[in-house]
Every structure is written in structure tokens, then in C-alpha cells.
Amino acid sequence: MTRLSPRHPRYHSLVVRARLAAAARSGLVVPEGLIAHGRGEAFDYFLGERSSRSALRAERAAAHWLLAARWPVLSINGNVAALAAGEVAGLQRALPNLRVEVNLFHRTPSRVRAVALALRSAGVPRVLGVNARGRLPRLPSDRARIDLRGIARADVCLVPLEDGDRAEALHRRGQRVIAIDLNPLSRTAVVADLPIVDELRRALVQITREVRRDGGRTRPGWFDPVDAPRLLREARRAMADRLRSGTRELASGARASRRPARGSGRPRRRTPGPRSRRRRSPR
Ligand code: ATP
């Protein structure tokens, strides 16, 4: 494997990529998962690779919903297991009521076992979804499979990096869907009752922090109202603002690089060229 230098400006992102690539080689992650990660990375760039204020608010609300839930379930796919098994275990420790269920778009028995093993090795004591005998209605193929002791009974489902059809199917069943998805335009984010537009690990760590901070003050069955369209709007705005200011930085950076650095030699005399002459001519 290539050695990565911690001095590389994108060191952390490269470490994550290397981890996912290794997980793909071991069969935990499918090639499609690598592409999905690339899509997420692009949106995280737009966010400046940090949680926006509205994401932090969404994470707070998510912690309260999970605490208020009677049967909260966290759904895990290959990417989530590869990237954040430790963070999943951390959240489960903070919220022992939380069930953790394997749910794979590309489901094979060996992948299900690999994901369950990754979670157990990280410290999740009980993993559901290995013998998933329930089904989500109106969904084709193995994507519909759910555990009768997990998602089938859940009142709140936390679904990181979920596919849009499944998120819609959960929503149709009247379950409260909390999505973690960096793409504010994805069907999952749009259909979620509580969309968290943030990077997976940052979101899980922050939700865990909020669960611990709440210290049992949330009332069971009491769900704070959430304005999901507003959260999405704010996420899009945070990205757009950053893109705009990034463009300005780039433009001024480019101008600066054209200017000779101070003391770098004799200043060149600016002679008006044909274009500037044209600009100065009276209209
Ligand atoms: P949908 O089916 O919901 O319309 P999609 O086709 O983009 O969306 P998938 O490819 O199934 O959905 O899921 C990947 C989603 O997860 C993408 O929207 C991507 O932005 C997001 N994503 C990928 N990696 C991360 C990550 N580390 N943290 C948060 N979100 C991520």
C-alpha cells in the first residue's frame, strides 16, 4: 500500500480512501460503495469538511429523537461498517436501547457476515439483520429484507448513507427516518423526516455527544418538531456560500500569482496593450 505523508494537505481524506479501498479488497465494501463515497467527498468539499451550524442543530434533534424513541434502530451498510464501526459502537454504548442492524443493498451471506464481524470487533455486542426474515413492502430484491426484531419494529430509524428507495419505504410505513447524507439533493435526504447533511463520522460523534449531554432529560415518546425542508435549505446555502467565496479566493489567488512578488526583480513597466487601449477609448 502507498505510504501517506501526514504533511499532505489531504492526508485525512487519503487515509479514509485507503481504508475503504482495503475494505473493498476484503469484500466488506462493494465497488459501488467506493463511487458513493466519492460522491459524498465532493459534497463534503463544498461544506469545507466541517459540520455546518444547521447540521449541528440536526444532530442535536437526532439525539433527542433517538432518546425519545421506544425502539430506535441504526441501519448499517458496508461503507458505514468500514468507515465508522467504532463510532457506531460509541453511540450504542451511550444509548444501550439502540439496536444495530445490518442492511445491505448488495446482499450476500458472506458480506452480511463480514459487516457483522466488523461491528462486533468494534464493540457492538448484538448485531441484528444477519437472519433478516421481514420485508419492506413494494421493494424488489434483497434490499427489502429487514430484521423482525429490528427495523420491522422500529419507531425511529437512523439510516446513514441509505438508498432512496429504502428510505422512502421506511417513511411510507410511518417510521421516523433520520438520514445522514452529505448530498442535500439525494432522495434519501429529501424524504427523511430529519435530514443530517454531514459527514458520517462527524455526525455519529456529535449525536453521541448530544445523547450523553442530554443526560436523560428527554421525555420518552416526545419528539421535538423538526423543519426538514429548512434544514435542507440551510445545508444547500452553506455549500453555495462556500462555493461562492471559494471562487473569489481562487480568483484573487490567480491574480496574486500573476503579480510579481515583492522584491523579485525590477518592476516591469506596464505598457498599454491593444486590449487596454481598446478599453480606454471613448465610447
Ligand atoms: P438516493 O438514492 O438517496 O437519491 P444516491 O443514489 O446518491 O441517492 P447512494 O449512492 O445509494 O445514494 O448513497 C450514497 C449517498 O451517501 C450519497 O448521497 C453520498 O453523498 C452519501 N455519502 C457517501 N459517503 C458519505 C459519508 N462518508 N458521509 C455522509 N454521506 C455520505
Side-chain angles (χ1 to χ4, degrees):
M1 204 164 73
T2 327
R3 283 210 24 224
L4 302 169
S5 160
R7 297 218 311 269
H8 191 288
R10 309 217 39 78
Y11 174 70
H12 292 291
S13 150
L14 294 178
V15 168
V16 171
R17 276 190 193 176
R19 194 196 294 182
L20 264 189
R25 283 190 288 273
S26 78
L28 182 64
V29 165
V30 286
E32 290 83 349
L34 299 181
I35 297 169
H37 180 76
R39 188 179 288 172
E41 270 190 340
F43 283 102
D44 207 19
Y45 238 101
F46 299 159
L47 272 184
E49 294 172 320
R50 56 172 183 248
S51 308
S52 68
R53 255 189 295 178
S54 71
L56 293 172
R57 274 208 332 275
E59 283 147 8
R60 182 144 204 242
H64 288 178
W65 278 22
L66 290 169
L67 283 161
R70 186 184 44 81
W71 205 273
V73 177
L74 168 52
S75 166
I76 307 288
N77 64 21
N79 279 37
V80 178
L83 292 175
E87 287 76 3
V88 169
L91 178 55
Q92 208 276 330
R93 266 195 303 279
L95 193 70
N97 194 27
L98 181 72
R99 281 84 176 165
V100 176
E101 175 169 339
V102 181
N103 276 291
L104 301 181
F105 192 99
H106 303 279
R107 190 182 176 101
T108 62
S110 65
R111 275 196 79 218
V112 173
R113 279 197 301 274
V115 172
L117 179 64
L119 292 168
R120 282 195 205 101
S121 314
V124 179
R126 185 157 172 250
V127 179
L128 300 174
V130 178
N131 297 307
R133 298 192 202 288
R135 287 191 75 83
L136 288 171
R138 310 214 314 251
L139 259 195
S141 75
D142 272 352
R143 277 191 293 160
R145 288 175 65 173
I146 48 174
D147 197 302
L148 294 173
R149 298 154 302 168
I151 287 181
R153 294 184 61 176
D155 52 347
V156 175
C157 296
L158 174 56
V159 291
L161 285 53
E162 182 59 282
D163 128 78
D165 290 337
R166 277 178 56 99
E168 242 165 6
L170 295 172
H171 179 75
R172 268 200 308 270
R173 294 177 90 224
Q175 295 172 306
R176 283 172 196 271
V177 176
I178 308 173
I180 302 175
D181 193 323
L182 275 160
N183 178 1
L185 303 170
S186 79
R187 285 176 307 153
T188 303
V190 170
V191 85
D193 301 281
L194 202 178
I196 299 173
V197 181
D198 203 358
E199 194 277 326
L200 169 71
R201 287 193 302 163
R202 289 200 305 268
L204 289 176
V205 167
Q206 185 62 20
I207 295 171
T208 306
R209 205 174 280 145
E210 293 288 354
V211 164
R212 292 196 182 282
R213 188 175 299 161
D214 186 85
R217 279 193 293 272
T218 307
R219 271 196 287 155
W222 182 261
F223 295 97
D224 297 337
V226 163
D227 187 346
R230 180 171 169 200
L231 287 172
L232 292 178
R233 239 183 357 259
E234 288 173 347
R236 291 197 305 268
R237 194 175 308 135
M239 291 182 188
D241 285 351
R242 178 148 171 105
L243 271 175
R244 263 195 297 272
S245 65
T247 313
R248 273 202 299 275
E249 275 161 30
L250 268 182
S252 54
R255 273 199 299 276
S257 68
R258 278 203 300 270
R259 233 179 281 135
R262 220 181 267 173
S264 67
R266 207 154 43 95
R268 261 190 274 149
R269 248 184 81 204
R270 299 186 75 198
T271 43
R275 291 182 104 216
S276 48
R277 238 179 274 137
R278 224 183 3 255
R279 238 183 285 131
R280 265 194 249 140
S281 64
R283 288 194 197 162

